[in-house]
Amino acid sequence: MTPRFDAIGLVVSDMAASVTFYRRLGFAFPQGSESEPHAEAELPGGLRLLLDTEETVRSFHAGWQPPTGGSRAGLALRCADPGEVDTVYEELVAAGYHGELKPWDAFWGQRYATVQDPDGNGVDLFAPLAAGPTE
């Protein structure tokens, strides 16, 4: 028996705020998800992003508490090109989301930035930097 990776789950404090944030990034949550205790968006390749409210998690794990001292999970979203990293970052910050790392050209060859979702989880935006001229 070999378990198969199927989903990424996040616990959220405010379902409506989280669904709104992830929809801005292209995640297709069904209409009405904002008011549900559990929501799912299908990802390319058959994976899913799962959101559960804190109350939902406590309904089956009474002692659960949110982590303190920073998030322990993050998502990384590949953008089409370096310019899209900048554009998406600026749009999210202008919409009121916290920009953790402004876009920069990382030494590992990517345009890279981080925005926090409504619960403080880092969402990395990245794209390979254009190759320089060949000699």
Side-chain angles (χ1 to χ4, degrees):
M1 176 166 83
T2 303
R4 180 178 62 89
F5 185 52
D6 183 70
I8 299 163
L10 298 175
V11 180
V12 302
S13 335
D14 181 333
M15 183 64 80
S18 294
V19 167
T20 299
F21 175 82
Y22 285 104
R23 277 185 179 150
R24 289 183 78 99
L25 289 168
F27 291 81
F29 284 96
Q31 286 302 107
S33 293
E34 304 84 350
S35 58
E36 296 294 328
H38 172 85
E40 298 184 12
E42 191 168 328
L43 306 174
L47 294 175
R48 297 171 295 144
L49 177 62
L50 314 177
L51 303 179
D52 287 290
T53 63
E54 293 175 358
E55 295 78 19
T56 299
V57 173
R58 285 192 191 103
S59 75
F60 60 84
H61 184 358
W64 182 85
Q65 293 294 319
T68 58
S71 68
R72 295 182 179 242
L75 301 177
L77 304 179
R78 184 178 182 139
C79 295
D81 56 52
E84 187 178 35
V85 172
D86 294 12
T87 300
V88 172
Y89 178 88
E90 292 302 328
E91 287 176 0
L92 291 170
V93 170
Y97 299 103
H98 176 70
E100 187 173 334
L101 287 173
K102 291 182 179 181
W104 64 291
D105 292 343
F107 62 86
W108 56 83
Q110 294 176 334
R111 184 74 172 162
Y112 199 88
T114 305
V115 177
Q116 289 183 352
D117 77 3
D119 291 290
N121 295 305
V123 177
D124 299 336
L125 307 169
F126 72 93
L129 290 170
T134 57
E135 299 189 56

